[in-house]
Amino acid sequence: MTSQQNVRKTIEIDGRDDIHSVAFLMEGKHILSGGQEEKIRRWRLQDGKEVARPIGAGGWANTIAISKDGKWIVGGSDGGRVLVWSVESHERVGELRGHREGVYAVDISPDGTKIASGSWDKTAYIWKRSTGERLLTLRHDNWVAAVKFSPNGRLLATATWGRSVRIYHSEDGHLLREFLIQPGSTFNQCLAWKDDTHLYVISLDGRIHHIDVSTGETLSRWLIRTDGVEKRGCIALPNNRSFIAASAHSSISFWDLTTRTKIGSDIDYDDLVWTIAISENYDIAIGHGKKITVWNLGDILPSRYVHKNVDPGERPLTSPHTQAEIIDLKKAMRELRDQLTVLQGRHEGQSRELALAQKELETLKSSIKAKDHQIDILTADVDHWKRFDAAKAEDLAAAHRELEERRRDSEELIAVGEELQFS
């Protein structure tokens, strides 16, 4: 783990059994974890201590989602059930039945009224949270590894293991798009919405795909590992959407979303990374093996990536850029100005050459006009002598042919000059 020798771990938690899912709640002060222990546990980030009683999940707690208002916990188990609990009391307040096999993905709509679930039985369901009524059944051609509502809740993205990503209308279930990307994550970790139009996906071959769901275009894709082995991966976006965290088997890297270049330090483990989550305070929780490790991203990434989105009226006066970064930016600006000066000089030189070529062309045109006048006089002379002196007329005709040849030569010169003018 040499890439993180200078990075400070915030905390490490013993999760009791393999961890499949983590999520932050209480404004990032607490962490929920679920996995093969068949319980959902709640941990205090400050000291890593467990708080409140664990929640029985009725099977492996494969996937966890927290409602945006922080009131509800939704979990999916390998027993095929989707369960809903109160964040405050940990009491179960709902049980959604219908899946015939394990549930590997759950999500809650931004307004908290709908729940989506994906299962090994090749179906995704959309439920009404308050009543448990099943609103939509979305059938797939392989088991559903991920479900994610768009930020406005109007769309639902689903991922089938190794097959495709689909985009549905969440109200009527209409299939809008399908992308043949071969998603590569198990527990609802291969999809991340940037906004209502742009979605990121990690595939089995270790690539991140940026897709525009409104046009059906893949805007970009890039490789986060080069070993060529198909492995599970996870991705997560922070609230400010400036970078993406991506895991490839046992390593986590960070990538600028604009330049698609790696930033900060990698985090490496000896065991498989199953799940990652980023809090609004820029802590990253990583479930690997039986442990949950939390790092503060301010110790890993350049400062410009670790700041909250705030309204312009509330934006702090201090810049997120370090002094060294500002100096680098100024240097880059000077280099760009120098390049602009060079280009302007080249343009001025080319303009002078073009003016000279135009002047030469005008001279050639004047010469041709004079020769045209001479040809007209000789032509009239030939006609005159044809009537009076055949011998003299023949001499003049020869002179006329010679001048015609010169005229053609001159016209060729004009053509060359005009070509130079417009090239």
Side-chain angles (χ1 to χ4, degrees), residues 167 177-179 181 197-201 209-221:
I167 309 298
R177 303 280 184 193
E178 183 170 20
F179 301 87
I181 288 178
T197 302
H198 298 94
L199 180 69
Y200 287 87
V201 186
H209 304 254
H210 176 198
I211 59 180
D212 185 328
V213 302
S214 65
T215 64
E217 292 182 271
T218 297
L219 301 179
S220 64
R221 63 172 66 88

Coordinates of all heavy atoms in Angstrom, one line a residue, residues 167 177-179 181 197-201 209-221:
I167 N -32.5 2.7 -19.4 CA -33.1 3.9 -18.8 C -34.6 3.8 -19.0 O -35.1 3.7 -20.2 CB -32.5 5.1 -19.5 CG1 -31.0 5.1 -19.6 CG2 -33.1 6.4 -18.8 CD1 -30.3 5.1 -18.2
R177 N -34.0 4.1 -23.3 CA -32.6 3.8 -23.9 C -32.1 2.5 -23.4 O -32.5 2.0 -22.3 CB -31.6 4.9 -23.5 CG -32.0 6.3 -23.9 CD -31.8 6.6 -25.4 NE -32.1 8.0 -25.7 CZ -32.1 8.5 -26.9 NH1 -31.9 7.7 -27.9 NH2 -32.4 9.7 -27.1
E178 N -31.2 1.9 -24.2 CA -30.4 0.8 -23.7 C -29.0 0.9 -24.2 O -28.8 1.2 -25.4 CB -31.0 -0.6 -24.2 CG -30.2 -1.8 -23.6 CD -30.9 -3.1 -23.8 OE1 -31.8 -3.2 -24.7 OE2 -30.6 -4.1 -23.1
F179 N -28.0 0.7 -23.3 CA -26.6 0.9 -23.7 C -25.9 -0.5 -23.4 O -26.0 -1.0 -22.3 CB -25.9 1.9 -22.8 CG -26.5 3.3 -23.0 CD1 -27.6 3.7 -22.2 CD2 -26.0 4.2 -23.9 CE1 -28.2 5.0 -22.3 CE2 -26.6 5.5 -24.0 CZ -27.7 5.9 -23.2
I181 N -23.2 -2.0 -22.4 CA -21.9 -1.6 -21.8 C -21.3 -2.8 -21.0 O -20.1 -2.7 -20.7 CB -22.2 -0.4 -20.9 CG1 -22.4 0.8 -21.8 CG2 -21.0 -0.1 -19.9 CD1 -22.7 2.1 -21.0
T197 N -29.2 14.1 -16.9 CA -28.9 13.7 -18.2 C -27.7 12.8 -18.3 O -27.7 11.9 -19.2 CB -28.7 15.0 -19.1 OG1 -29.9 15.8 -19.1 CG2 -28.4 14.6 -20.6
H198 N -26.7 13.0 -17.5 CA -25.4 12.3 -17.6 C -25.3 11.2 -16.5 O -25.5 11.5 -15.3 CB -24.3 13.3 -17.5 CG -24.3 14.3 -18.6 ND1 -24.9 15.6 -18.5 CD2 -23.9 14.3 -19.9 CE1 -24.8 16.2 -19.6 NE2 -24.2 15.5 -20.5
L199 N -24.9 10.0 -17.0 CA -24.8 8.9 -16.1 C -23.4 8.3 -16.4 O -22.9 8.2 -17.5 CB -25.9 7.8 -16.5 CG -25.9 6.5 -15.7 CD1 -26.3 6.8 -14.2 CD2 -26.9 5.5 -16.3
Y200 N -22.8 7.8 -15.3 CA -21.5 7.1 -15.3 C -21.7 5.6 -15.0 O -22.5 5.3 -14.1 CB -20.5 7.7 -14.4 CG -20.0 9.1 -14.9 CD1 -20.6 10.2 -14.5 CD2 -18.8 9.2 -15.6 CE1 -20.2 11.5 -15.0 CE2 -18.4 10.4 -16.1 CZ -19.1 11.5 -15.8 OH -18.6 12.7 -16.3
V201 N -21.0 4.8 -15.7 CA -21.1 3.3 -15.5 C -19.7 2.7 -15.5 O -18.8 3.1 -16.3 CB -21.9 2.7 -16.7 CG1 -22.1 1.2 -16.4 CG2 -23.2 3.4 -16.9
H209 N -17.6 4.6 -18.3 CA -18.4 5.1 -19.5 C -19.2 6.3 -19.0 O -19.9 6.2 -18.0 CB -19.3 4.1 -20.0 CG -18.6 2.8 -20.4 ND1 -18.3 2.4 -21.7 CD2 -18.1 1.8 -19.6 CE1 -17.7 1.3 -21.7 NE2 -17.5 0.9 -20.5
H210 N -19.1 7.4 -19.8 CA -19.9 8.6 -19.5 C -21.0 8.7 -20.6 O -20.6 8.8 -21.8 CB -19.0 9.8 -19.5 CG -19.8 11.1 -19.4 ND1 -19.2 12.4 -19.8 CD2 -21.0 11.4 -19.0 CE1 -20.1 13.3 -19.5 NE2 -21.2 12.8 -19.1
I211 N -22.2 8.5 -20.3 CA -23.3 8.5 -21.3 C -24.3 9.6 -21.1 O -24.5 10.1 -20.0 CB -24.0 7.1 -21.3 CG1 -24.7 6.8 -19.9 CG2 -23.0 6.0 -21.7 CD1 -25.4 5.5 -19.9
D212 N -24.8 10.1 -22.2 CA -25.9 11.1 -22.3 C -27.2 10.3 -22.5 O -27.4 9.8 -23.6 CB -25.6 12.1 -23.3 CG -26.6 13.3 -23.3 OD1 -27.8 13.0 -23.0 OD2 -26.2 14.4 -23.7
V213 N -28.0 10.2 -21.5 CA -29.3 9.4 -21.7 C -30.3 10.1 -22.5 O -31.2 9.5 -23.0 CB -29.9 9.1 -20.3 CG1 -28.9 8.4 -19.4 CG2 -30.4 10.4 -19.6
S214 N -30.2 11.4 -22.8 CA -31.1 12.1 -23.6 C -30.9 11.9 -25.1 O -31.8 11.9 -25.9 CB -31.1 13.7 -23.3 OG -29.8 14.2 -23.7
T215 N -29.6 11.7 -25.5 CA -29.3 11.5 -26.9 C -28.9 10.1 -27.2 O -28.9 9.7 -28.4 CB -28.1 12.4 -27.3 OG1 -27.0 12.0 -26.5 CG2 -28.5 13.9 -27.0
G216 N -28.6 9.3 -26.2 CA -28.1 7.9 -26.4 C -26.6 7.8 -26.8 O -26.1 6.8 -27.1
E217 N -25.9 8.9 -26.6 CA -24.5 8.9 -27.0 C -23.6 8.5 -25.8 O -24.0 8.8 -24.6 CB -24.0 10.4 -27.4 CG -24.6 10.8 -28.7 CD -24.1 12.2 -29.0 OE1 -24.7 13.2 -28.6 OE2 -23.0 12.3 -29.7
T218 N -22.5 7.8 -26.1 CA -21.5 7.6 -25.1 C -20.5 8.8 -25.3 O -19.8 8.8 -26.4 CB -20.8 6.3 -25.3 OG1 -21.7 5.2 -25.1 CG2 -19.6 6.1 -24.3
L219 N -20.4 9.7 -24.4 CA -19.6 10.9 -24.6 C -18.1 10.6 -24.4 O -17.3 11.3 -25.0 CB -20.1 12.0 -23.6 CG -21.5 12.4 -23.7 CD1 -21.9 13.4 -22.7 CD2 -21.8 12.9 -25.1
S220 N -17.8 9.7 -23.5 CA -16.4 9.4 -23.3 C -16.3 8.0 -22.5 O -17.3 7.6 -22.0 CB -15.6 10.4 -22.5 OG -16.2 10.6 -21.2
R221 N -15.1 7.4 -22.6 CA -14.8 6.2 -21.8 C -13.3 6.2 -21.6 O -12.6 6.6 -22.4 CB -15.3 5.0 -22.5 CG -14.7 4.7 -23.9 CD -15.1 3.3 -24.4 NE -16.5 3.3 -24.7 CZ -17.0 3.6 -25.9 NH1 -16.2 4.0 -26.9 NH2 -18.3 3.5 -26.2

